[in-house]
Amino acid sequence: MMKVLVINNAMTPYVKAVYDRVVDMGTSVTIVIPESVDSKVVGAGVKQIDSTVDKIKIVKALQKRLWYGKLGLLNLKDIILSESPDIVTLCWPYLLQLFFQPSLRKLLKQTDTKLMIAEIPFMVPPYGNIISYYRKNIFL
């Protein structure tokens, strides 16, 4: 069975619905969320699920503003080691840890863990059309 570790900034009903389907298709899903949610990362009024979810394992991680000014998860490496996922999915701002924490990249490489970036696709160009897309949709 494939194991996916999702690093997310909150557990919302729509995230739960998506990963419930993934579990139903035979994949193990663990979602890592911060112990306390920063309102600057999760928008005001976003409904969150705070309890344990039956199909999905939830792990709460320590979160702190790191030296480069963005929030990061302090025990992310330990969680990856203990969960032994096949795939790790990261979102903003936690994907910055890949750049500012080389030991995290080294761990993923040593464990042959695949990496996936998950973002809300606002202003994201279609694959292969980056130049023409941003010429038509100016983004500053």
Side-chain angles (χ1 to χ4, degrees), residues 8 12 25 50 56 59-60 67 95 115 120 130-132:
N8 211 333
T12 59
M25 293 187 297
D50 193 32
I56 304 164
V59 175
K60 295 205 174 181
W67 64 270
L95 63 90
L115 178 64
I120 298 172
I130 190 167
I131 293 172
S132 62

Side-chain angles (χ1 to χ4, degrees), residues 53-133:
V53 182
D54 54 350
K55 293 182 182 181
I56 304 164
K57 180 179 177 183
I58 296 177
V59 175
K60 295 205 174 181
L62 301 172
Q63 176 177 254
K64 180 181 174 183
R65 191 160 307 279
L66 300 178
W67 64 270
Y68 49 88
K70 299 295 182 189
L71 293 171
L73 301 175
L74 298 180
N75 51 344
L76 188 52
K77 283 176 41 180
D78 295 333
I79 292 169
I80 292 170
L81 280 171
S82 68
E83 293 297 323
S84 302
D86 298 303
I87 300 172
V88 171
T89 301
L90 290 159
C91 70
W92 183 267
Y94 311 117
L95 63 90
L96 292 175
Q97 286 184 253
L98 291 172
F99 300 101
F100 294 109
Q101 191 176 356
S103 61
L104 183 58
R105 289 193 314 266
K106 185 178 180 181
L107 172 68
L108 293 176
K109 190 171 185 170
Q110 287 174 341
T111 58
D112 196 30
T113 303
K114 305 303 179 214
L115 178 64
M116 190 168 88
I117 305 297
E119 283 299 323
I120 298 172
F122 298 121
M123 297 298 290
V124 175
Y127 182 78
N129 297 324
I130 190 167
I131 293 172
S132 62
Y133 180 84

